[in-house]
Amino acid sequence: MADIEALLSLEQIDRDIFRGIHAPSILARTFGGQVAGQALRSAIETVPAQMQVHSLHGYFLRPGNPDADTVFLVDRIRDGRSFCTRRVNGVQNGEAIFSMSASFQITGQEGIEHADEMPPAPAPESVPSPREDPNASEESRGLIQEWNTWDIRIVSQDVTEPYQRRASHQQVWFKHIGRLPDDQNIHTSALAYMSDMTLLTSARVGHPGVDTQVASLDHAMWFLRPFRADEWLLYDQTSPSAGEGRALTAGRIFALDGTLVAVVIQEGLHRFRE
C-alpha cells in the first residue's frame, strides 16, 4: 500500500475536479476508506483554510476497481460565514462509485462541552503486533499486508471488557507508522481513510466461525477534536443490530490520553455466502 500522504495527494484536473491515485492492493475492490479519504481531501481543497471538516456522510454505490484511479467531482453547495457544505461524487469509467456530503465549520467557535470517557482497554504496546505474533489470525495478517504503513492491533476478546446489553464489542489500536506533517487536514483525511478498517467485521464478534460476505453500504463520521493519526488511537467498536443481510456498526475513536476525537456509524452487507 502506498504511503498515506501519497495516497491522499490529488491531481487537480479543473477547478472542482480532482483525480486520486490507486495503489497496489490485494483487495478485489477498492478499499472504501481510500475512496472516502480521497473524496474528503477533494472537498478540503475547495474550502477556505480557516474551515475544518466536522462531519461527512457517504454512500458506497458500486464496487470500485482497485487497479484504476478515481475522479472526484466537487459541488460547492453552500458557502456561509460559519459553515460550508460540499458534495463529492467519486467516478470510475463514467459511473459514480461513491457519493459524499461534507460539512465544514470555521475554527474557534465556543459552546457547551462534554465527552464520553474512554472505556477500559489494554495499553497498545501490551497488545501483540501481528508482525511479531506467530499466533496472529489470518485477518490480522491480512491487515498488515494491505495496510503495511500502519500499526494495527486488534484486542483479543479474552481481554476486552464487554459492555452490558451490547450485542457485539471489539477494540482496535492503530496509528500511522512514521511522522506525518502537522497539517490537521492530513490527519483528518487519514482518519477518514482508516475509519472503514475493521469496523464492519466487529459485527461478527457475536457470531464466531460464521463466514459472511461483507461490503460497506454507507458511512457517516463526525470529527470532534484535533488529533494525530501518527499517534495511538483506540477504535472502540460495537454493532447494535444485524438482520436482513445487513449489519449496523458504530465506533468511537479516542486518543491515547482518553480524548474522544471522532465518532463513526457504518452500515454494510453481512450476507451468508452462497
Side-chain angles (χ1 to χ4, degrees):
M1 177 60 68
D3 178 84
I4 191 64
E5 288 185 76
L7 196 63
L8 294 174
S9 63
L10 301 169
E11 176 191 357
Q12 187 166 7
I13 300 173
D14 207 332
R15 177 175 179 260
D16 295 327
I17 304 176
F18 304 87
R19 177 183 287 115
I21 68 168
H22 69 281
S25 174
I26 63 173
L27 303 179
R29 54 182 177 266
T30 305
F31 173 52
Q34 176 181 321
V35 182
Q38 290 178 338
L40 177 57
R41 191 69 184 170
S42 300
I44 288 171
E45 292 295 324
T46 70
V47 302
Q50 67 269 28
M51 295 277 190
Q52 289 286 330
V53 63
H54 69 87
S55 69
L56 64 83
H57 300 258
Y59 287 89
F60 298 95
L61 306 176
R62 294 179 177 87
N65 179 357
D67 298 320
D69 294 344
T70 304
V71 173
F72 296 93
L73 313 176
V74 182
D75 289 333
R76 303 184 184 224
I77 303 300
R78 177 179 182 268
D79 286 294
R81 287 182 296 178
S82 298
F83 290 87
C84 65
T85 306
R86 297 292 184 263
R87 181 178 297 126
V88 185
N89 286 324
V91 178
Q92 285 186 348
N93 196 31
E95 294 185 323
I97 65 170
F98 182 71
S99 180
M100 182 189 79
S101 294
S103 182
F104 297 77
Q105 182 185 20
I106 194 168
T107 57
Q109 302 295 294
E110 295 183 351
I112 63 171
E113 293 189 21
H114 64 256
D116 285 350
E117 294 183 3
M118 185 168 73
E125 291 82 2
S126 71
V127 179
S129 167
R131 288 180 169 83
E132 304 165 357
D133 184 4
N135 299 316
S137 66
E138 182 178 349
E139 178 184 356
S140 294
R141 289 195 296 269
L143 289 175
I144 62 172
Q145 183 177 354
E146 180 67 19
W147 293 279
N148 55 22
T149 62
W150 295 84
D151 192 342
I152 305 169
R153 307 187 183 197
I154 300 177
V155 178
S156 170
Q157 287 293 302
D158 295 338
V159 296
T160 300
E161 293 192 24
Y163 292 125
Q164 296 297 319
R165 298 185 174 88
R166 297 289 179 94
S168 180
H169 181 209
Q170 176 173 266
Q171 293 181 324
V172 181
W173 284 104
F174 70 96
K175 68 173 179 176
H176 186 265
I177 299 173
R179 191 74 172 174
L180 294 172
D182 291 335
D183 182 0
Q184 184 61 49
N185 286 324
I186 290 287
H187 296 270
T188 301
S189 301
L191 189 61
Y193 171 88
M194 287 301 284
S195 64
D196 189 42
M197 179 272 309
T198 73
L199 184 54
L200 276 184
T201 60
S202 68
R204 285 204 296 242
V205 170
H207 309 270
V210 176
D211 187 23
T212 56
Q213 177 189 356
V214 178
S216 302
L217 294 174
D218 58 22
H219 194 87
M221 192 167 187
W222 293 264
F223 302 91
L224 308 175
R225 294 168 184 85
F227 60 91
R228 295 192 65 92
D230 53 10
E231 297 178 353
W232 283 116
L233 296 168
L234 176 68
Y235 206 169
D236 188 68
Q237 305 167 345
T238 61
S239 178
S241 178
E244 297 293 329
R246 306 186 317 276
L248 182 66
T249 54
R252 297 179 299 167
I253 301 176
F254 295 86
L256 187 59
D257 66 0
T259 301
L260 178 62
V261 301
V263 172
V264 188
I265 303 290
Q266 185 178 62
E267 186 181 40
L269 293 178
H270 261 287
R271 296 187 298 209
F272 293 128
R273 296 185 185 275
E274 297 179 353

